[in-house]
Amino acid sequence: MKKTFSLLIVLALSAALAGCGANGKNEGNNEQAASGNKAEAANAPKAEVKKIIVGTGTGFKKVCFLDENGKLTGFDVELVRKIDEELPEYEFEFKTMDFSNLLLSLETDKIDFVAHEIEKNPEREQKYLFNQEPYAHWRNKIVVTKENDSIQSLDDLKGKKVLTTATSAQAQILENYNKEHENAIEIVYQNNGANDTVNQLVTGRVDATLSADFVLSLIDPEGKLKTTGEPLSEADILFTFRKDEPESKELADAIDTAIVKLKGDGTLGKLSTEWLGGDFTSESK
């Protein structure tokens, strides 16, 4: 009986020791597995961030310009920076140039999209891709000096000098009119950007210009000019991309998603009010 009892104790101890050994081994295996998983996670390739070159200018006050410290800023610039924050898969980098060179730089792959208050119109749609979600809305009107009451329409500009910027939507309006009216308007293409507009009109070097509704207060803070007549056109303002490129379409779609979010949380309206003096982000303005 004693032998049997002793044998049972030995067997029980052996089983306990075997169990402890197994548990220790399992725990060791678990620790090794956890360490292995951590190592794999650390060595796993990170998602690639794609660099995007954004073309913009430096001479459009409050939209894309250099401040007193030489920093690039303005409505379009700060909006792109907000969009960049929403899209971790991309890294946006600005490249500045004259407005007249932006679309050509897009066509020649020097930039990936344009951020410069580009107005969507039929002529541009034939050549370029636009994102779908507008970030501003323009109404183009004739601009003259405060004392000028003789001009109310494009017909009143026949035989007169009208200032504009090459490749702009306003230039397109004037050029289309001239095609149908035997070049009745003398179009003057400016080199110094919007900052020279007031001086040219006040000194009489030109008779008028065309401008989007929000621009006048930005370029003419002293109130020397005025808009006149009915709007010549209305259009959504969008970013411009190369056409027929899957990567451009993917980027445009991602930007649309970010704009929708920035509209929904009020960021876009706040940016417009801060930089443009009002919320010009919808047709209802």
Side-chain angles (χ1 to χ4, degrees), residues 4-20:
T4 301
F5 183 71
S6 298
L7 180 60
L8 290 174
I9 292 174
V10 169
L11 290 173
L13 288 171
S14 298
L17 289 172
C20 289

Side-chain angles (χ1 to χ4, degrees), residues 35-160:
S35 298
N37 290 338
K38 289 179 181 179
E40 288 178 7
N43 295 326
K46 295 181 180 179
E48 183 180 353
V49 177
K50 185 171 183 179
K51 180 174 286 189
I52 300 297
I53 306 301
V54 186
T56 191
T58 59
F60 196 163
K61 188 177 180 182
K62 298 294 185 179
V63 171
C64 46
F65 70 107
L66 300 176
D67 66 13
E68 62 274 11
N69 298 315
K71 177 188 175 184
L72 181 66
T73 189
F75 175 61
D76 280 44
V77 173
E78 298 306 327
L79 173 57
V80 168
R81 286 176 175 147
K82 290 291 185 183
I83 293 172
D84 193 11
E85 292 175 7
E86 298 292 332
L87 302 177
E89 66 271 33
Y90 294 108
E91 179 185 347
F92 292 168
E93 178 181 306
F94 287 104
K95 185 172 185 178
T96 60
M97 61 193 70
D98 290 341
F99 176 81
S100 58
N101 292 328
L102 283 169
L103 294 178
L104 178 60
S105 294
L106 181 65
E107 293 173 20
T108 54
D109 296 343
K110 293 178 181 177
I111 58 176
D112 296 304
F113 75 92
V114 179
H116 198 298
E117 292 289 308
I118 299 293
E119 179 180 321
K120 181 179 178 180
N121 60 34
E123 291 83 5
R124 286 174 175 163
E125 277 192 283
Q126 292 178 8
K127 296 183 66 176
Y128 308 106
L129 169 71
F130 291 86
N131 65 300
Q132 298 296 310
E133 192 68 27
Y135 65 92
H137 189 80
W138 272 14
R139 295 157 186 80
N140 289 304
K141 301 187 76 174
I142 298 171
V143 175
V144 295
T145 58
K146 272 288 182 62
E147 300 78 20
N148 190 334
D149 295 322
S150 63
I151 296 174
Q152 300 290 326
S153 67
L154 288 176
D155 288 335
D156 296 330
L157 294 175
K158 289 180 179 179
K160 300 187 182 300

Side-chain angles (χ1 to χ4, degrees), residues 195-256:
N195 297 332
D196 190 46
T197 299
V198 177
N199 184 50
Q200 294 224 44
L201 282 164
V202 170
T203 58
R205 283 182 284 170
V206 297
D207 300 290
T209 188
L210 306 187
S211 175
D213 46 9
F214 74 84
V215 173
L216 190 58
S217 63
L218 305 182
I219 65 173
D220 180 34
E222 296 180 10
K224 296 179 179 180
L225 309 179
K226 67 179 180 180
T227 58
T228 184
E230 295 297 318
L232 303 175
S233 69
E234 293 191 32
D236 289 330
I237 305 303
L238 302 146
F239 298 117
T240 315
F241 307 79
R242 280 185 295 279
K243 201 168 187 177
D244 301 323
E245 284 190 5
E247 288 186 352
S248 290
K249 181 62 167 62
E250 183 179 350
L251 173 60
D253 289 345
I255 287 176
D256 277 333

